[in-house]
Amino acid sequence: MAPTPRRFTFLLLDRFTMLPFAATLDALRLANKMSGHRLYDWRLVGTGGDFATCSNGSRMALDAGLDGEVTVARDEAVIVCGGDDITAQASRPVLAWLRRQARAGATLGAVCTGSHVLAKAGLLDGRRATIHWENHDSFAETFPDVDLHRQVFVDDGSRLTAGGGTSSIDMMLHLIGRTHGADLAAQIADQMLHTAIRAGGDRQRLSIATRIGIRHPRLAAVVERIEANLENPVSPPQLAADAGMSTRQLERLFMRYLNRSPKRYYLEARLARARHLLLLTDLPLIEIAIACGFASSSHFSKCYRERYGTSPYRERGVQKAGTVVALPTRAEVLALAS
């Protein structure tokens, strides 16, 4: 007897990212194909109209809008697909709809920045969750009641979150394997040319050494410690002592491999994080300054202007006025901008 298919409802928010959505949906399609049974059904819903617009400009036809009769049963799953400008997508109708599905007992999931919307609805309070690494710091500051992790995906029972990109594949293979067996999950991974199925505990990003292109283990360890201590900076002499070298040795390593002093590298890392929080949250300037290790907003503003050529007030004001402001690049987030 064929199993009753489980239905997934994909909530496509405006400017959702294509890759994590497509990866999630295609895993379900391949589960049906490889098993020879209709294990899963799915539908696409959005906030209005007949189409949802992706961040790459393409449009996806919707089966229904939230303003219609969209009901979700207890054994179904809702996947929130987020992308760009996620704070603007957490509208009251979206939040209210998600809360209704939670009360009905549906499993709620999110890919990419969709976790922000679940958190905004209060549906991740006290729960373990993840979000794309680029949004991790701003999420942590905005939603302190969420147990946030830097993992590929997090399975917290009736709440499922994936960091974005190909992490959605790993999350879906985890779910499919849990219900229908590891053999089917492996067959799907093989079809997707996904050669290494990552567990939920795996980290999203490459190692420090790989990302910044250095092969010096002690220097990589120092950089990792810097990134982990942006709110409470550690002095270069202390970094050097803990790494088992002199301050002069540490300075030579930074200049040789990163073309800047440890102090400058640290400052750029803190400012990169500050810029991220500035553009992705509504936190007051003083809170951003403190979260990035600055003792006062005036010192923060002075350093920010020297680094980016504008004040934090002006940069945030330009963003709110509707002008497109580039988010920090990966290099800036790593404090490696030239």
Side-chain angles (χ1 to χ4, degrees):
M1 181 177 178
T4 301
R6 186 185 188 191
R7 185 161 67 174
F8 278 70
T9 296
F10 291 88
L11 172 57
L12 304 184
L13 300 173
D14 191 42
R15 300 180 68 189
F16 71 96
T17 47
M18 179 65 78
L19 179 56
F21 159 67
T24 306
L25 179 58
D26 219 39
L28 301 178
R29 178 189 69 84
L30 287 170
N32 292 349
K33 177 182 177 181
M34 304 308 295
S35 68
H37 298 287
R38 190 162 61 92
L39 303 179
Y40 300 101
D41 283 333
W42 53 84
R43 60 180 172 177
L44 312 182
V45 303
T47 54
D50 298 324
F51 298 89
T53 303
C54 179
S55 60
N56 63 20
S58 60
R59 298 199 303 168
M60 190 69 60
L62 299 174
D63 298 306
L66 298 189
D67 52 354
E69 293 296 324
V70 180
T71 57
V72 177
R74 179 186 263 310
D75 61 343
E76 294 182 18
V78 174
I79 305 295
V80 181
C81 300
D84 293 344
D85 196 21
I86 192 61
T87 56
Q89 311 312 321
S91 63
R92 288 186 178 181
V94 167
L95 302 181
W97 185 82
L98 288 170
R99 291 174 183 133
R100 286 198 299 273
Q101 310 322 312
R103 289 195 295 269
T107 296
L108 297 178
V111 296
C112 196
T113 60
S115 301
H116 179 100
V117 180
L118 288 183
K120 185 72 172 179
L123 300 174
L124 293 180
D125 287 354
R127 298 273 195 158
R128 296 171 59 250
T130 191
I131 196 168
H132 191 281
W133 64 262
E134 191 175 44
N135 302 86
H136 186 278
D137 288 344
S138 59
F139 185 102
E141 293 291 339
T142 306
F143 304 109
D145 293 332
V146 180
D147 183 11
L148 189 62
H149 294 260
R150 294 183 183 272
Q151 298 175 191
V152 174
F153 69 88
V154 170
D155 179 354
D156 192 33
S158 60
R159 301 291 184 270
L160 301 160
T161 51
T166 58
S167 69
S168 303
I169 299 176
D170 301 289
M171 182 179 76
M172 296 310 296
L173 293 177
H174 164 76
L175 292 179
I176 293 167
R178 188 177 65 186
T179 305
H180 299 289
D183 286 347
L184 178 58
Q187 292 178 51
I188 296 169
D190 200 30
Q191 284 289 313
M192 301 178 93
L193 304 184
H194 194 62
T195 55
I197 302 176
R198 293 171 294 181
D202 288 349
R203 293 175 66 85
Q204 293 181 15
R205 306 186 70 186
L206 298 172
S207 68
I208 293 284
T210 301
R211 277 188 276 142
I212 64 178
I214 59 176
R215 295 174 179 261
H216 196 290
R218 286 201 290 177
L219 178 58
V222 171
V223 171
E224 185 171 6
R225 189 173 181 196
I226 286 174
E227 290 192 7
N229 292 275
L230 298 181
E231 185 171 351
N232 298 295
V234 182
S235 69
Q238 189 62 54
L239 289 171
D242 292 344
M245 65 180 83
S246 68
T247 302
R248 182 57 184 156
Q249 284 177 307
L250 184 64
E251 290 174 346
R252 284 200 297 264
L253 283 176
F254 267 81
M255 291 304 299
R256 176 181 176 185
Y257 289 98
L258 302 173
N259 196 33
R260 58 194 23 86
S261 68
K263 182 178 180 181
R264 183 64 191 177
Y265 186 98
Y266 218 142
L267 177 62
E268 290 180 3
R270 292 157 57 204
L271 288 171
R273 184 190 188 205
R275 188 166 189 250
H276 215 89
L277 294 176
L278 186 73
L279 298 182
L280 294 180
T281 74
D282 291 322
L283 290 172
L285 267 293
I286 184 60
E287 291 188 22
I288 293 177
I290 293 172
C292 298
F294 294 94
S296 67
S297 56
S298 59
H299 182 220
F300 166 55
S301 296
K302 176 178 179 294
C303 294
Y304 195 95
R305 182 185 294 276
E306 290 175 353
R307 179 71 180 93
Y308 295 111
T310 186
S311 71
Y313 294 97
R314 181 177 295 276
E315 183 133 76
R316 174 172 275 179
V318 168
Q319 183 199 34
K320 289 186 175 181
T323 301
V324 176
V325 177
L327 293 177
T329 65
R330 174 175 295 190
E332 287 174 318
V333 173
L334 291 174
L336 293 174
S338 57

